[in-house]
């Protein structure tokens, strides 16, 4: 039986698909390993991924700045669109202007509001303690809840 049961904990955030929407920020899509893990989980129905045109444009700029070829960038964009055709969120022009979060994050919050995403996946760098054997910083996945600026 392939019937999915939504846990009671998530009933206030799930949509018609039976899974909750999550906005994937540029940094969650940038690295190939994390991107593959997140998208495989979405493909398996664990959540419904979303991103905006602005997030994809930022992803393209960042990949290009890291030396990725136009062919790679175009193929990645096409694969994202083909695998998750309903993932794209278009928010109303000017919505981000009224938001009070950091200016660079306003487009992310505007997309989350428009897509009714109560969670977003982002990456931040936590400073590791002195003498950490893995280096001076440790990237961590952060899932933000309650997208309210």
């Amino acid at each position: 039986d392939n019937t999915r049961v939504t846990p009671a904990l998530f009933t206030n955030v799930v949509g018609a698909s039976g899974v909750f929407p999550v906005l994937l920020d540029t940094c969650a899509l940038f690295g190939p390993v994390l991107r593959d893990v997140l998208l495989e989980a979405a493909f398996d129905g664990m959540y419904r991924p979303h991103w905006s045109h602005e997030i994809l444009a930022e992803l393209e700029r960042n990949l290009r700045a890291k030396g990725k070829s136009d062919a790679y960038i175009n193929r990645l964009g096409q694969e994202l669109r083909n695998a998750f055709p309903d993932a794209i969120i278009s928010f109303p022009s000017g919505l981000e202007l009224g938001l009070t979060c950091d200016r660079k994050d306003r487009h992310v919050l505007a997309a989350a509001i428009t897509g009714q995403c109560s969670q977003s996946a982002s990456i931040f760098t936590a400073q590791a303690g002195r003498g950490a054997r893995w280096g001076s910083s440790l990237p961590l996945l952060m899932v933000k809840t309650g997208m309210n600026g």
Side-chain angles (χ1 to χ4, degrees), residues 54-67:
E54 291 77 7
I55 288 170
L56 292 181
E58 184 177 23
L59 177 61
E60 289 178 14
R61 283 191 308 273
N62 291 345
L63 289 171
R64 193 166 282 112
K66 288 293 184 181

Side-chain angles (χ1 to χ4, degrees), residues 32-113:
V33 174
L34 178 59
R35 178 179 59 235
D36 288 352
V37 169
L38 290 172
L39 296 178
E40 283 292 330
F43 192 77
D44 287 344
M46 298 175 90
Y47 72 95
R48 196 171 65 246
H50 289 287
W51 45 73
S52 67
H53 296 288
E54 291 77 7
I55 288 170
L56 292 181
E58 184 177 23
L59 177 61
E60 289 178 14
R61 283 191 308 273
N62 291 345
L63 289 171
R64 193 166 282 112
K66 288 293 184 181
K68 295 296 182 183
S69 69
D70 286 341
Y72 175 88
I73 293 167
N74 292 335
R75 186 176 69 246
L76 174 61
Q78 193 59 48
E79 288 177 2
L80 288 172
R81 289 176 189 90
N82 289 343
F84 302 100
D86 297 327
I88 200 78
I89 293 173
S90 298
F91 56 86
S93 178
L95 174 61
E96 73 279 9
L97 300 177
L99 301 175
T100 58
C101 60
D102 186 277
R103 174 166 284 168
K104 293 189 298 185
D105 294 330
R106 289 180 184 168
H107 70 97
V108 177
L109 184 55
I113 291 168

Side-chain angles (χ1 to χ4, degrees), residues 126-141:
Q127 296 301 315
R130 285 184 177 219
R133 293 170 34 157
W134 53 81
S136 62
S137 63
L138 175 66
L140 302 169
L141 172 65

